Amino acid sequence: MNQNYPFYLKLSCVLISIVVLGFLAIIGEQIFVPMILGLLVAILLTPLSRFMEKRLRFPRSLSSIVASLLALAIIGGVIYGISMQVAKLSNDWPQFQKQFITLTDDLQSWISKTFGVRRRDQLEYLNDTAKKSISTGTAILESALKSIGYILMLTGFTFLFALFFLLYRTHLLKFLVASFTESYHKTVFEVVHSIQFMVKKYLVGLFLQMIIVTILSLIAYTIIGVKYNFMLAIITGILNILPYIGIFIALLIGALITFATSGISHVLFIVIAIVVIHAIDGNIIMPRVVGSKVKINSLIVIIGLVIGEMLWGIAGMFLTIPVLAILKIIFDRVEGLQSWGFLMGEDDEVPVFKSTFDKYFQKKKAELKSNEINDSESESAD
């Protein structure tokens, strides 16, 4: 028996559900983040695992282990390459100090001439600030060590989850189907298939985008003559995954490292190069490689990025678009949630009450046309 509940009751249920899910997401960060990352990696590795099972006659356990270890080795190689470049960067620390002292001296002279603040007063303020910074140095070091430990733990658990998702993928699919009545089995299979297809295409497109941006950055940094061009190119390609804000972080890191190893002119060239690369990526690479895979409007992406950062930090920002795309697929196929799927997407066609919208807009169009005719008649009469 269908019941029509009042709007305030539906709104209350939605708000309570959002609050409860947000609270569970915050307290369950340690398990949800690697689990979602592991699910995405497992979906990406499923074709490789199936190939080894069908063509090479590997048992599922062996194919899952080999696929997971292969992906872990690739990620580990990239992290190792960046770590070696960062270790070499420490050799340029004296040069960075020299550049910073020169820049500080010029800045003090400019402040003294422009605002009349004596150098002695500026130095006293800098000394007070330095003492406060030194007093918090232990806390900063402790936070850095915790971050490194968290990244290592996250990487390990992500590939453990990916391994077990690959191993038990058929078992998990049967569980999803068994959780619904037979009338919904077809919808469950469609949702699962659509999610697998979207995630694979999106991640492959994202990986291609990252490679193209990395290559373009490497070419630009090499032409400019920037030191550690390989490391900066990889950082630019990886951070470019973050919509809107990743390019600014890459720009800041590139400018700082270039300032430490080269002159101010090189920093200006780096800024121009990153802006041009971002323009090429946003107008050519992104629409052709990634844009057709996930159709989420920019407003929802921005809101998702803010919420993701509030819940899970940087990891939440990386997971925003895949999670939103999965939710949109589910909303589009579940009765009663199509309006939310429409809100998240960029399609102009309204999935529900389309005839009502068509009648409304046709009526408004007729009224506007009638008003224009009346206005023209009144003007001619005058």
Side-chain angles (χ1 to χ4, degrees):
M1 179 178 176
N2 295 328
Q3 296 182 358
N4 292 324
Y5 297 101
F7 173 75
Y8 66 85
L9 183 59
K10 295 180 180 179
L11 180 61
S12 301
C13 293
V14 170
L15 293 177
I16 292 173
S17 300
I18 292 174
V19 171
V20 171
L21 291 175
F23 178 73
L24 292 177
I26 292 174
I27 65 175
E29 176 184 357
Q30 301 295 331
I31 187 172
F32 286 139
V33 172
M35 183 183 294
I36 297 175
L37 286 172
L39 177 62
L40 298 177
V41 173
I43 293 175
L44 187 62
L45 295 178
T46 297
L48 177 61
S49 180
R50 287 177 178 170
F51 173 80
M52 289 187 287
E53 292 171 13
K54 293 181 179 180
R55 297 299 179 91
L56 303 180
R57 303 296 181 182
F58 282 8
R60 174 161 295 186
S61 58
L62 181 60
S63 66
S64 302
I65 293 173
V66 172
S68 300
L69 290 177
L70 181 61
L72 183 61
I74 294 174
I75 299 298
V78 174
I79 295 176
Y80 177 77
I82 296 177
S83 301
M84 295 298 294
Q85 293 286 315
V86 172
K88 292 181 180 179
L89 183 62
S90 61
N91 297 329
D92 289 319
W93 179 250
Q95 185 176 354
F96 177 77
Q97 288 179 317
K98 182 179 178 181
Q99 294 267 32
F100 182 76
I101 291 172
T102 303
L103 180 64
T104 303
D105 187 66
D106 295 339
L107 183 61
Q108 284 182 338
S109 300
W110 180 80
I111 292 175
S112 179
K113 293 178 181 179
T114 306
F115 300 102
V117 181
R118 296 181 303 173
R119 284 175 172 265
R120 181 181 300 175
D121 297 334
Q122 297 180 37
L123 290 175
E124 289 179 358
Y125 176 76
L126 291 174
N127 289 332
D128 294 338
T129 305
K131 290 179 181 178
K132 295 178 181 179
S133 301
I134 293 172
S135 64
T136 58
T138 305
I140 296 174
L141 181 60
E142 183 179 355
S143 299
L145 293 176
K146 287 182 178 179
S147 300
I148 295 174
Y150 174 74
I151 292 174
L152 294 176
M153 182 197 70
L154 179 64
T155 303
F157 277 103
T158 295
F159 283 95
L160 277 178
F161 277 116
L163 171 62
F164 287 115
F165 279 132
L166 286 173
L167 190 60
Y168 294 105
R169 59 180 184 268
T170 304
H171 188 75
L172 294 174
L173 179 59
K174 291 179 179 179
F175 164 75
L176 290 176
V177 174
S179 300
F180 297 89
T181 58
E182 188 174 354
S183 58
Y184 293 101
H185 286 177
K186 182 179 179 181
T187 303
V188 173
F189 279 114
E190 288 179 355
V191 170
V192 172
H193 180 267
S194 299
I195 291 175
Q196 288 179 332
F197 180 80
M198 181 278 302
V199 170
K200 284 189 291 187
K201 294 296 183 181
Y202 171 72
L203 292 180
V204 170
L206 204 64
F207 183 69
L208 291 176
Q209 180 196 16
M210 185 175 65
I211 291 178
I212 294 173
V213 172
T214 301
I215 293 175
L216 291 177
S217 303
L218 181 61
I219 294 173
Y221 297 158
T222 303
I223 294 174
I224 295 173
V226 177
K227 200 174 182 180
Y228 306 108
N229 52 0
F230 180 72
M231 180 188 69
L232 290 177
I234 293 179
I235 291 176
T236 304
I238 293 175
L239 290 177
N240 190 67
I241 297 175
L242 289 176
Y244 307 111
I245 64 173
I247 191 66
F248 293 104
I249 300 175
L251 180 62
L252 179 61
I253 295 175
L256 288 175
I257 295 178
T258 305
F259 174 75
T261 57
S262 304
I264 298 295
S265 60
H266 287 77
V267 175
L268 179 61
F269 288 135
I270 283 291
V271 172
I272 295 174
I274 292 180
V275 170
V276 171
I277 291 171
H278 180 64
I280 295 173
D281 173 62
N283 294 282
I284 299 176
I285 301 173
M286 182 74 175
R288 295 177 181 271
V289 178
V290 183
S292 59
K293 313 298 188 300
V294 181
K295 294 183 179 180
I296 306 292
N297 65 64
S298 300
L299 174 63
I300 300 299
V301 171
I302 290 295
I303 295 174
L305 287 173
V306 174
I307 295 176
E309 197 280 332
M310 291 172 60
L311 293 177
W312 297 334
I314 298 298
M317 298 176 72
F318 276 103
L319 293 174
T320 294
I321 294 182
V323 170
L324 289 177
I326 291 174
L327 290 176
K328 186 179 185 305
I329 290 173
I330 296 174
F331 291 161
D332 287 341
R333 288 162 177 78
V334 176
E335 185 179 355
L337 297 177
Q338 290 93 341
S339 58
W340 292 95
F342 170 76
L343 176 65
M344 297 173 64
E346 295 181 343
D347 300 328
D348 293 330
E349 184 177 354
V350 182
V352 290
F353 309 124
K354 187 176 185 301
S355 59
T356 304
F357 277 85
D358 290 342
K359 292 178 182 178
Y360 173 78
F361 286 116
Q362 287 175 3
K363 182 180 178 181
K364 297 296 289 185
K365 186 177 180 180
E367 291 178 354
L368 291 173
K369 188 174 182 180
S370 177
N371 293 332
E372 290 177 357
I373 294 173
N374 293 333
D375 292 340
S376 62
E377 289 178 353
S378 61
E379 289 176 359
S380 61
D382 293 338

